[in-house]
Amino acid sequence: MAITFNQVSYEYDANSMWSQAALQGVNLHLESGILAGVAGATGSGKSTLLQMFNGILKPTSGTVQVLDITLKGGEKAPKLHQLRKRVGLVFQFPEQQLFEDTVEKDLCFGPINFGYSLEEAKDRARRAMEQMGLDLSLLSRNPFQLSGGQMRKVAIASVLTMDPEILVLDEPTATLDPVSRAELIQLLHRLCREDGRTVIIVTHRMDELLPFANQWIVLHEGLTVFQGTVKALIEQADRMESYGITIPQSIRYWRSLSEKFGWSEEDPCLSAEAMSKRIAHLVNSEDV
Amino acid sequence: MSEKLLIGRTIDTGSWVHSIDPRAKMVAMMLYVVIIILSNTWLEMAYVILFSLIIISLTRIHIKYFIRAAKPLWVLMLFIFIVQCIKVDDKNGAILLSIGSWNLYFEGFKLGLFSVLRMVFLVSFTAILTFTTTPGRLNQGLEGVLKPLKVVRVSPDRFTLMVSIALRFIPSILEEAQIILKAQASRGADLRELPWKEKGKMLVSLLVPVTVGAFRRAEDLVHSMESRGFRLGEPRTKYHRLVWRKRDTIFICFFIVMLVAMVWMSGYGTGELWTL
Amino acid sequence: MKQHDLKEPHYTPDATESTSQSSDVIPGPGYPAIELVGVSYGYGKDLPVIDDISLSIPQGQWVTLVGANGCGKSTLVKLMNALLSKGEGSIMVKGKELQSDTIGDIRKAIGMVFQNPDNQFIGATVEEDIVFGLEGQCLSIEVMEERVNSYAEKLGITELLDKHPSELSGGQKQRVAIASILSMEPEIVIFDEASSMLDERTRNDLLNILSDMHKSGRYTIISITHDAQEIAASERVLVLHEGKLIADRTPTDLFQDEKILEMSHLIAPFAFQLTTALHRYGVDISIPNCEKELTEALWPLHSIK
C-alpha cells in the first residue's frame, strides 16, 4: 500500500480564531504503481490533500501513512527529509517556482539537497530531461527563456531528478493548449507504466485522464465522496454532478450507449477510437 | 492561505465607530498617539486606559482581537522592558533583584512596565482604525488627510493609488512566496529544518521567483487598468465621496477633550504618590 | 478555501434595454467593428510576431481566435486597443483609425477580459473594481450606482459587492471582471484566454455568459481560447500560425480539418472525434449534438439488420 489515510482532518490556522477546516475525516487507500486522478470543485480540499502526501501539511487529526512513514495528528512529526525525497510534489504552475539561471542548476537543486554529488545530480538531471521528452541542449539555457510548455516540463523534471516513488501533481496541464496537455498526460502515464511509479494527478478536466487513470478520488467539501475505478465512477455519474464536477462527454456517450445496447457489464471504452470500434462491432456483427 | 495577518483586517460589527469618517478616525488616532506620549504618571495612564476601553467597547469588537493585534510585537516589548530595567541605576532606590554586581531597581522595573503598557495600548488601540474601516475607505481617508500635501506638489491621488495597489497585491505576493517555500521544501530544502546559514541562502533564492511573479502581476494589472481607460492624471469622478457628519466631529472631540485633560494634568502635576 | 460559486444565476440579457440601445448606438449588424489592413508587429524585422494580417469583423459577430501558444493571438488583440504600441498597417475600430489621439475613444469601445482572474482585479472590493473604469469615464454618481447595480445583478454578483478579492473564487473573480468591463458599455469585448484558469464548471458558466451576450446583439465578441466547446459555440474561427492568419472558417469546418487542428494545437469536441473515427470503421452518421442523437442514429443501423 503506497498511501493510506485514516480519518484525516486538516484545519488551516488550527489554533487561531480563523481556523478553517479544509479536510474533515478523509479516508483513502492507494496501491503502489497506479495512476490516480483526484477531482473535485474549487475549494473541495484537493490542494490541501496533495500537500499531506509529503508532509508539507500535517494532519490536525487522524493518521496519514505514506510508504513506511506515519504521520499522526497532534503528534510531533518525524524528520521528513526522506519522505520528501520519496514523494515528489509538483505544485500548480511549477514553472513559476524556477529560480536558478540555468535549467541544469534548477534540476540539480533537489538531488544536491538530498546529498548527491554534483556529478550524480547532473546525471539525474539528464535522465529527467529525457523522461520529460526535453532536448538536452536546453540544459544550459536560462529557464525563463523557454516556452511555456517547456518550462512546465522542466519544472516537473526538477522533481523527477529525486527519482521519487510517488509523484503527485496539482493540475499539471492547467493553461496549456489541448495538444500539449494530451502530450504531458501521456508522459506522466509513461512514468507510471514504465517506471512503476505511483502517479497522483489533481485535475479539473477529467476527460484528459479518463483513458489512463486506474483509480479516481472525488472530493467534496473536504470529504472523499468517491474512491474507485472508472467503471464505478460511471455508474455513479449522476451523483458526481452534485459535487460540482462536470461529467465528460465521453462518459455521457458511453452511458447512453451502454444503456441502450446493454453494455453495462463491459469495461468502458472512453476514447473516441475505442468507442467507435465498439460501435462498429455492434453494427457489423449483426450484418450476418 | 494560512497564517493570515491580523493587521489590515476589517471586523464588521456595524458599530457606531465603523460608520465614522475614515479621516476623522485617522486624525483621532494621531491625537491618541500624542495622548499616550503625554501620559507620564500612573494616574494619567489609568485615565488613558479607561478612555481606551470605553472607545474599544464602542466598536463592539471583542477585546481579544485587540490583544492579538499587539501580540506580534512581544519581542520588541520585551526588549524595551529589559532596556528600561537595565538603564535605571538608582543608587538610593529599593532593590528588587540583584545578580552579581548588577541590581534591578524597583524604579527600573516600574519604568519598564510603564513603557510596555504604553506600547500595548498604542498598538492595540490604533488597530481600531483597520478593524473598523474597509481598505477602500481607509484609502479614501488617506487621500483626504494627505490633501494638504498638494501644496508641496505631491499628488495625493497618485500616492493613494500606489498604496491601494500595494495593499491589494501584498497578500497575493506573500501567498505566492509561501507556495514557493513549500515547493522548495518538497525538493529537500525545508526552511524549518535547515541550519541558519542555509536559511539565508534560501531566502535569497526566493527573491528570483517572487520578483518575476510580481513583475508578471504588475504587467497584467497595467494592461487591465489601461484597457479600462485609465491614464495617469486624466480627470476622474469619485464614486465614494466622504461626507463629514456631526458624529465625526463628536468622535474627534472625545480625543481633543482627553488631550486637553492630559496637558492640564501634566502641567499641574498630580501628587507625589502617582508620579514615576 | 470556501466555495461560493457553483450555482449562480446566469447573466441574463435585458431585452428591452438592448433594443432601445441598439437603435441609436450600434450602426446595425454587418457594419465592420474592427478592420485590420496589413498589420505587422515584431521585435525587429527578423522576428515578426504578427505578420501582415488583414481581417474584418462585422458588428455583432462572435469570433474565436485560435492557435498554438506563441502564435501571436494575444499580441494581435493587444494591438487592437493599443496595449501594445502599433507596428505596421492600419487598425480601424468602429470606423476610426487607431492613432495616438484616438486611443482613448478606442479603449472606450473595446473591453478586455484577461486570463488571470486575480491579476486583473484592481479594486479592494468588488464594487470598487466595477467602479474603477466608470470613474475614468467621469460618470456621475447616480449613473455609476445604476450601472453597478444593474451589471452586478446581470452577472449574479450582487451579494458579493462588498467582498475583498481574497474571499472570492477564480470563477467569481472572472465574473467580476466581466461585470467591470460590461458596465463600461463597450461594443466590442475581447476575452484573452479568460476561461483557461477556471475549472470545468465555471468554464461552462462563462460560456453561458458569452452566449447570452451574443444573443443580446449588443456586443462584438472576440475570444481567444483552446476550449473546444467555446469554439463550437462561436460563429467564426480565425486560425493564427506563426503570426500569420492561415484559416478563417466556421467551427464545424475547422473541427473536420485535421491538418489545421494539428497546426493550431487543438482537439475537436468528442462528438467530432467519434464521428471521424466511426467513418474509418465504415459507420457513417452525421455529427451528433448530444449522446441521445448518437444512440438514436445508431439504433436503426443496429436493429434493421
PDB file of all heavy atoms in Angstrom, chain C residues 236-255:
ATOM      1  N   ARG C 236     -17.436  32.094 -35.910  1.00  0.00           N
ATOM      2  CA  ARG C 236     -16.354  32.138 -36.888  1.00  0.00           C
ATOM      3  C   ARG C 236     -15.045  31.919 -36.166  1.00  0.00           C
ATOM      4  O   ARG C 236     -14.863  32.417 -35.055  1.00  0.00           O
ATOM      5  CB  ARG C 236     -16.392  33.528 -37.529  1.00  0.00           C
ATOM      6  CG  ARG C 236     -15.260  33.839 -38.465  1.00  0.00           C
ATOM      7  CD  ARG C 236     -15.455  35.272 -38.942  1.00  0.00           C
ATOM      8  NE  ARG C 236     -14.364  35.736 -39.760  1.00  0.00           N
ATOM      9  CZ  ARG C 236     -14.167  37.025 -40.050  1.00  0.00           C
ATOM     10  NH1 ARG C 236     -14.989  37.946 -39.590  1.00  0.00           N
ATOM     11  NH2 ARG C 236     -13.156  37.383 -40.807  1.00  0.00           N
ATOM     12  N   VAL C 237     -14.152  31.169 -36.789  1.00  0.00           N
ATOM     13  CA  VAL C 237     -12.861  30.899 -36.166  1.00  0.00           C
ATOM     14  C   VAL C 237     -11.743  31.428 -37.042  1.00  0.00           C
ATOM     15  O   VAL C 237     -11.689  31.157 -38.242  1.00  0.00           O
ATOM     16  CB  VAL C 237     -12.641  29.390 -35.950  1.00  0.00           C
ATOM     17  CG1 VAL C 237     -11.411  29.147 -35.090  1.00  0.00           C
ATOM     18  CG2 VAL C 237     -13.860  28.743 -35.326  1.00  0.00           C
ATOM     19  N   LEU C 238     -10.860  32.218 -36.439  1.00  0.00           N
ATOM     20  CA  LEU C 238      -9.671  32.690 -37.137  1.00  0.00           C
ATOM     21  C   LEU C 238      -8.492  31.902 -36.587  1.00  0.00           C
ATOM     22  O   LEU C 238      -8.314  31.819 -35.370  1.00  0.00           O
ATOM     23  CB  LEU C 238      -9.461  34.184 -36.879  1.00  0.00           C
ATOM     24  CG  LEU C 238     -10.575  35.115 -37.331  1.00  0.00           C
ATOM     25  CD1 LEU C 238     -10.298  36.538 -36.858  1.00  0.00           C
ATOM     26  CD2 LEU C 238     -10.723  35.075 -38.839  1.00  0.00           C
ATOM     27  N   VAL C 239      -7.717  31.295 -37.477  1.00  0.00           N
ATOM     28  CA  VAL C 239      -6.592  30.472 -37.014  1.00  0.00           C
ATOM     29  C   VAL C 239      -5.285  31.186 -37.295  1.00  0.00           C
ATOM     30  O   VAL C 239      -4.998  31.559 -38.436  1.00  0.00           O
ATOM     31  CB  VAL C 239      -6.594  29.091 -37.713  1.00  0.00           C
ATOM     32  CG1 VAL C 239      -5.502  28.218 -37.138  1.00  0.00           C
ATOM     33  CG2 VAL C 239      -7.951  28.428 -37.577  1.00  0.00           C
ATOM     34  N   LEU C 240      -4.497  31.369 -36.265  1.00  0.00           N
ATOM     35  CA  LEU C 240      -3.196  32.009 -36.392  1.00  0.00           C
ATOM     36  C   LEU C 240      -2.108  30.956 -36.286  1.00  0.00           C
ATOM     37  O   LEU C 240      -2.179  30.056 -35.447  1.00  0.00           O
ATOM     38  CB  LEU C 240      -3.027  33.032 -35.263  1.00  0.00           C
ATOM     39  CG  LEU C 240      -2.898  34.490 -35.686  1.00  0.00           C
ATOM     40  CD1 LEU C 240      -4.129  34.915 -36.458  1.00  0.00           C
ATOM     41  CD2 LEU C 240      -2.704  35.372 -34.483  1.00  0.00           C
ATOM     42  N   HIS C 241      -1.102  31.092 -37.151  1.00  0.00           N
ATOM     43  CA  HIS C 241       0.025  30.170 -37.062  1.00  0.00           C
ATOM     44  C   HIS C 241       1.285  30.956 -37.362  1.00  0.00           C
ATOM     45  O   HIS C 241       1.403  31.552 -38.422  1.00  0.00           O
ATOM     46  CB  HIS C 241      -0.163  29.018 -38.069  1.00  0.00           C
ATOM     47  CG  HIS C 241       0.908  27.983 -37.977  1.00  0.00           C
ATOM     48  ND1 HIS C 241       1.034  27.145 -36.893  1.00  0.00           N
ATOM     49  CD2 HIS C 241       1.920  27.684 -38.812  1.00  0.00           C
ATOM     50  CE1 HIS C 241       2.069  26.346 -37.087  1.00  0.00           C
ATOM     51  NE2 HIS C 241       2.628  26.657 -38.240  1.00  0.00           N
ATOM     52  N   GLU C 242       2.189  30.971 -36.421  1.00  0.00           N
ATOM     53  CA  GLU C 242       3.440  31.722 -36.540  1.00  0.00           C
ATOM     54  C   GLU C 242       3.207  33.148 -37.054  1.00  0.00           C
ATOM     55  O   GLU C 242       3.875  33.608 -37.977  1.00  0.00           O
ATOM     56  CB  GLU C 242       4.425  30.956 -37.416  1.00  0.00           C
ATOM     57  CG  GLU C 242       4.929  29.714 -36.695  1.00  0.00           C
ATOM     58  CD  GLU C 242       5.755  28.789 -37.563  1.00  0.00           C
ATOM     59  OE1 GLU C 242       5.937  29.108 -38.756  1.00  0.00           O
ATOM     60  OE2 GLU C 242       6.182  27.752 -37.055  1.00  0.00           O
ATOM     61  N   GLY C 243       2.230  33.799 -36.459  1.00  0.00           N
ATOM     62  CA  GLY C 243       1.996  35.200 -36.779  1.00  0.00           C
ATOM     63  C   GLY C 243       1.178  35.453 -38.032  1.00  0.00           C
ATOM     64  O   GLY C 243       0.913  36.604 -38.373  1.00  0.00           O
ATOM     65  N   LYS C 244       0.813  34.392 -38.738  1.00  0.00           N
ATOM     66  CA  LYS C 244       0.029  34.575 -39.961  1.00  0.00           C
ATOM     67  C   LYS C 244      -1.376  34.030 -39.765  1.00  0.00           C
ATOM     68  O   LYS C 244      -1.582  33.059 -39.051  1.00  0.00           O
ATOM     69  CB  LYS C 244       0.688  33.814 -41.119  1.00  0.00           C
ATOM     70  CG  LYS C 244       1.934  34.460 -41.655  1.00  0.00           C
ATOM     71  CD  LYS C 244       2.288  33.817 -43.006  1.00  0.00           C
ATOM     72  CE  LYS C 244       3.388  34.552 -43.725  1.00  0.00           C
ATOM     73  NZ  LYS C 244       4.700  34.406 -43.080  1.00  0.00           N
ATOM     74  N   LEU C 245      -2.307  34.665 -40.477  1.00  0.00           N
ATOM     75  CA  LEU C 245      -3.677  34.168 -40.459  1.00  0.00           C
ATOM     76  C   LEU C 245      -3.772  33.051 -41.493  1.00  0.00           C
ATOM     77  O   LEU C 245      -3.642  33.302 -42.684  1.00  0.00           O
ATOM     78  CB  LEU C 245      -4.621  35.317 -40.821  1.00  0.00           C
ATOM     79  CG  LEU C 245      -6.109  35.054 -40.695  1.00  0.00           C
ATOM     80  CD1 LEU C 245      -6.486  34.798 -39.257  1.00  0.00           C
ATOM     81  CD2 LEU C 245      -6.893  36.235 -41.242  1.00  0.00           C
ATOM     82  N   ILE C 246      -3.952  31.797 -41.034  1.00  0.00           N
ATOM     83  CA  ILE C 246      -3.924  30.705 -42.019  1.00  0.00           C
ATOM     84  C   ILE C 246      -5.302  30.142 -42.327  1.00  0.00           C
ATOM     85  O   ILE C 246      -5.468  29.391 -43.271  1.00  0.00           O
ATOM     86  CB  ILE C 246      -2.992  29.551 -41.581  1.00  0.00           C
ATOM     87  CG1 ILE C 246      -3.429  29.001 -40.219  1.00  0.00           C
ATOM     88  CG2 ILE C 246      -1.542  29.997 -41.565  1.00  0.00           C
ATOM     89  CD1 ILE C 246      -2.887  27.624 -39.952  1.00  0.00           C
ATOM     90  N   ALA C 247      -6.297  30.459 -41.534  1.00  0.00           N
ATOM     91  CA  ALA C 247      -7.629  29.959 -41.854  1.00  0.00           C
ATOM     92  C   ALA C 247      -8.687  30.851 -41.227  1.00  0.00           C
ATOM     93  O   ALA C 247      -8.457  31.480 -40.206  1.00  0.00           O
ATOM     94  CB  ALA C 247      -7.795  28.530 -41.363  1.00  0.00           C
ATOM     95  N   ASP C 248      -9.823  30.911 -41.882  1.00  0.00           N
ATOM     96  CA  ASP C 248     -10.935  31.736 -41.438  1.00  0.00           C
ATOM     97  C   ASP C 248     -12.189  30.961 -41.822  1.00  0.00           C
ATOM     98  O   ASP C 248     -12.572  30.926 -42.984  1.00  0.00           O
ATOM     99  CB  ASP C 248     -10.856  33.085 -42.177  1.00  0.00           C
ATOM    100  CG  ASP C 248     -12.020  34.001 -41.842  1.00  0.00           C
ATOM    101  OD1 ASP C 248     -12.940  33.563 -41.122  1.00  0.00           O
ATOM    102  OD2 ASP C 248     -12.005  35.164 -42.303  1.00  0.00           O
ATOM    103  N   ARG C 249     -12.771  30.235 -40.878  1.00  0.00           N
ATOM    104  CA  ARG C 249     -13.888  29.354 -41.251  1.00  0.00           C
ATOM    105  C   ARG C 249     -14.873  29.138 -40.105  1.00  0.00           C
ATOM    106  O   ARG C 249     -14.662  29.659 -39.013  1.00  0.00           O
ATOM    107  CB  ARG C 249     -13.334  28.028 -41.749  1.00  0.00           C
ATOM    108  CG  ARG C 249     -12.364  27.394 -40.772  1.00  0.00           C
ATOM    109  CD  ARG C 249     -11.712  26.173 -41.358  1.00  0.00           C
ATOM    110  NE  ARG C 249     -10.819  26.526 -42.476  1.00  0.00           N
ATOM    111  CZ  ARG C 249     -10.151  25.640 -43.193  1.00  0.00           C
ATOM    112  NH1 ARG C 249     -10.295  24.356 -42.950  1.00  0.00           N
ATOM    113  NH2 ARG C 249      -9.345  26.013 -44.150  1.00  0.00           N
ATOM    114  N   THR C 250     -15.882  28.343 -40.354  1.00  0.00           N
ATOM    115  CA  THR C 250     -16.844  28.063 -39.296  1.00  0.00           C
ATOM    116  C   THR C 250     -16.268  26.973 -38.387  1.00  0.00           C
ATOM    117  O   THR C 250     -15.428  26.187 -38.810  1.00  0.00           O
ATOM    118  CB  THR C 250     -18.171  27.541 -39.868  1.00  0.00           C
ATOM    119  OG1 THR C 250     -17.907  26.287 -40.506  1.00  0.00           O
ATOM    120  CG2 THR C 250     -18.793  28.505 -40.847  1.00  0.00           C
ATOM    121  N   PRO C 251     -16.744  26.915 -37.135  1.00  0.00           N
ATOM    122  CA  PRO C 251     -16.232  25.899 -36.219  1.00  0.00           C
ATOM    123  C   PRO C 251     -16.386  24.482 -36.770  1.00  0.00           C
ATOM    124  O   PRO C 251     -15.463  23.671 -36.655  1.00  0.00           O
ATOM    125  CB  PRO C 251     -17.093  26.087 -34.970  1.00  0.00           C
ATOM    126  CG  PRO C 251     -17.597  27.471 -35.036  1.00  0.00           C
ATOM    127  CD  PRO C 251     -17.676  27.839 -36.473  1.00  0.00           C
ATOM    128  N   THR C 252     -17.533  24.207 -37.397  1.00  0.00           N
ATOM    129  CA  THR C 252     -17.768  22.854 -37.904  1.00  0.00           C
ATOM    130  C   THR C 252     -16.720  22.484 -38.953  1.00  0.00           C
ATOM    131  O   THR C 252     -16.175  21.379 -38.927  1.00  0.00           O
ATOM    132  CB  THR C 252     -19.177  22.761 -38.530  1.00  0.00           C
ATOM    133  OG1 THR C 252     -20.073  23.478 -37.688  1.00  0.00           O
ATOM    134  CG2 THR C 252     -19.622  21.330 -38.661  1.00  0.00           C
ATOM    135  N   ASP C 253     -16.412  23.423 -39.844  1.00  0.00           N
ATOM    136  CA  ASP C 253     -15.384  23.152 -40.848  1.00  0.00           C
ATOM    137  C   ASP C 253     -14.026  22.941 -40.197  1.00  0.00           C
ATOM    138  O   ASP C 253     -13.263  22.066 -40.586  1.00  0.00           O
ATOM    139  CB  ASP C 253     -15.294  24.317 -41.849  1.00  0.00           C
ATOM    140  CG  ASP C 253     -16.513  24.361 -42.746  1.00  0.00           C
ATOM    141  OD1 ASP C 253     -17.252  23.353 -42.772  1.00  0.00           O
ATOM    142  OD2 ASP C 253     -16.730  25.402 -43.404  1.00  0.00           O
ATOM    143  N   LEU C 254     -13.746  23.771 -39.214  1.00  0.00           N
ATOM    144  CA  LEU C 254     -12.447  23.687 -38.536  1.00  0.00           C
ATOM    145  C   LEU C 254     -12.249  22.314 -37.899  1.00  0.00           C
ATOM    146  O   LEU C 254     -11.211  21.677 -38.065  1.00  0.00           O
ATOM    147  CB  LEU C 254     -12.350  24.767 -37.457  1.00  0.00           C
ATOM    148  CG  LEU C 254     -11.114  24.674 -36.561  1.00  0.00           C
ATOM    149  CD1 LEU C 254      -9.940  25.386 -37.200  1.00  0.00           C
ATOM    150  CD2 LEU C 254     -11.378  25.236 -35.189  1.00  0.00           C
ATOM    151  N   PHE C 255     -13.284  21.850 -37.192  1.00  0.00           N
ATOM    152  CA  PHE C 255     -13.152  20.604 -36.446  1.00  0.00           C
ATOM    153  C   PHE C 255     -13.037  19.383 -37.358  1.00  0.00           C
ATOM    154  O   PHE C 255     -12.730  18.289 -36.918  1.00  0.00           O
ATOM    155  CB  PHE C 255     -14.317  20.429 -35.477  1.00  0.00           C
ATOM    156  CG  PHE C 255     -14.223  21.345 -34.293  1.00  0.00           C
ATOM    157  CD1 PHE C 255     -15.341  22.021 -33.824  1.00  0.00           C
ATOM    158  CD2 PHE C 255     -13.016  21.518 -33.622  1.00  0.00           C
ATOM    159  CE1 PHE C 255     -15.257  22.857 -32.727  1.00  0.00           C
ATOM    160  CE2 PHE C 255     -12.924  22.355 -32.526  1.00  0.00           C
ATOM    161  CZ  PHE C 255     -14.057  23.028 -32.083  1.00  0.00           C
TER     162      PHE C 255
END
